[in-house]
Every structure is written in structure tokens, then in C-alpha cells.
Amino acid sequence: SFGNRTEGGGRQGFLIRSIRADQDWYPGIPFLPWAEISAGKTLTVHPGVILKPGGWLKVYGTFIAAGTEQKPIFMTSIHDDSLGGDTNGNGGATTPNPADYDGIYVYPGGSAALRHVRLRYGGRPPRPYVGTYGVIKNMGGSVTLDRSRIERNLWGYGAWQGNGNNVITQSSIQENNVSGVFSASGTSPVSAKNNWWGTSTGPYHPTLNPTGAGNSVSDHVGFIPWLMGDPN
């Protein structure tokens, strides 16, 4: 699917409810995923694609979002008319806000590799069987985030790790409502070195960096050294 356009009123995008075969998504009409990537299957999102999730993207297989500096991939709110046009077809009656969708949830056996991806306006409030987590939630899989942005997300965290492996580098983590990165498990520390936290003083941590003015980080998050400027 690539190079498509829509005409007329109503919602304008591809609503995806399940991914049970390998898929490649290319730029054109925004994709509105509210789906699971089945184990053993791969979703590859190519440079310039715009995602406006209805809820979550649950990863039991492989999720590859490979943008470029010139053509990043955006995951944003369906109310964000600045990207991909008026996808919800209401003529600009609504504006994007944090918590407009849940986020990317990675489960044991699953992996997500994101490069040049902009994650914004996610982290929906508590819902049954979901809880309060960040726009990226790792429950035991593998997550790598490189040269990306996590910003303007709600309900606690930009990235949340309950288990598994998280590596975040050369990325911008800022303007999230409570915390930038949180690890719930000391056995699976998050590697978050060489990132920009919105300020040259780095992220706030009560003991390791009490003067940091950026988004806070929890224990079990390796954030030293941090970048002194935004790499993106």
C-alpha cells in the first residue's frame, strides 16, 4: 500500500485491526492501527509514514519503523491535522492532546526497532487490562529507539519497562507530563545514555542528578552521560 489519497468527508485513513502476515507500509494515506502483530510476523514501516493509532499496537512479533532524517516516521494523534491532513474529517474542530492513544506495547518474544520516529500525544489514561504506562511499554521483549523523539505524552512515562531489554540513544525525551523513562525492574535496567532531555542539566533523578530540570527518570535507568543539545 503506497501513494494513495482520499476524497470526500468522514475519516480518511487505513484502519488496521490485525496483522497476521508480514506487511510493509509506505507513505500515502495515514495508517490508524489498533492491532496486534502476531508472533513470527513482521510489520515494516517505511520512511515518511504517518501513524495515528486508535488505541495500541501490541507487538508479539517484529515491528520495524525505519525512518530517515529527511523522512521521519510520525506516530501522533488522529486530531493532529498538521500531519497527514484532517484524518478524522471534522474540519479542525478538535486539536491533539496527550493521551489521545495508548502506544506501542511489546510482549515477551516481540521486538520493536525504531529509528527516526517521532512519538507524540500518546499514553492514554488507565483502561481495563492496560494500566498506566508510557507511549512505549515493554513487558518482556526487546526495544531499541535511535535518533527519535518522545514528547508530549501523558500518564506517567515516555517509555516504561516492566521487563525485557530497552536501549534508547541519540534521542530527544521531553515535555512528557510526568516522567521520561521508568524501569519497574532492577533485573532489566534501561540503557538511556547519550540522549537529550530538553535541558543541558539533564533528566531529574533525586539522588543521581537532583539539579536536573528535564523529565525525570527512575532507578535502574542509565542516563549518564547525556547530550547537551537536541540531536534531532
Side-chain angles (χ1 to χ4, degrees), residues 105-112 136-144 160-168 182-191 220:
Y105 296 168
V106 184
Y107 292 88
S111 67
I136 298 177
K137 166 189 169 185
N138 191 353
M139 294 298 291
S142 173
V143 174
T144 58
W160 184 95
Q161 176 167 291
N163 214 328
N165 180 57
N166 267 31
V167 178
I168 304 171
F182 181 88
S183 175
S185 172
T187 61
S188 302
V190 177
S191 176
H220 316 303

Side-chain angles (χ1 to χ4, degrees), residues 105-210:
Y105 296 168
V106 184
Y107 292 88
S111 67
L114 287 69
R115 183 178 176 87
H116 287 297
V117 178
R118 311 290 189 255
L119 300 154
R120 56 177 62 165
Y121 299 121
R124 186 170 282 170
R127 303 171 66 194
Y129 313 112
V130 177
T132 59
Y133 302 103
V135 70
I136 298 177
K137 166 189 169 185
N138 191 353
M139 294 298 291
S142 173
V143 174
T144 58
L145 189 74
D146 180 47
R147 301 186 184 278
S148 297
R149 297 182 73 92
I150 304 175
E151 59 190 0
R152 306 174 202 171
N153 298 292
L154 188 64
W155 278 100
Y157 321 108
W160 184 95
Q161 176 167 291
N163 214 328
N165 180 57
N166 267 31
V167 178
I168 304 171
T169 186
Q170 295 292 319
S171 295
S172 304
I173 305 167
Q174 57 186 321
E175 300 180 39
N176 300 292
N177 282 36
V178 179
S179 179
V181 179
F182 181 88
S183 175
S185 172
T187 61
S188 302
V190 177
S191 176
K193 299 177 181 179
N194 297 310
N195 293 295
W196 168 246
W197 301 87
T199 170
S200 61
T201 61
Y204 172 76
H205 187 279
T207 57
L208 298 178
N209 194 33

Side-chain angles (χ1 to χ4, degrees), residues 6 27 65 69 73 87 100 105 113 122 149 165 176 191 221-222 231:
T6 61
E69 184 176 359
I73 293 165
T87 309
D100 279 344
Y105 296 168
R149 297 182 73 92
N165 180 57
N176 300 292
S191 176
V221 175

Side-chain angles (χ1 to χ4, degrees), residues 1-2 4 14 16 19 21-27 31 42-47 49 64 66:
S1 169
F2 58 91
N4 295 288
F14 287 116
I16 309 295
I19 300 168
D22 295 342
Q23 292 190 16
D24 286 83
W25 294 358
Y26 292 91
F31 290 87
T42 299
L43 170 61
T44 303
V45 178
H46 292 268
V49 168
I64 301 172

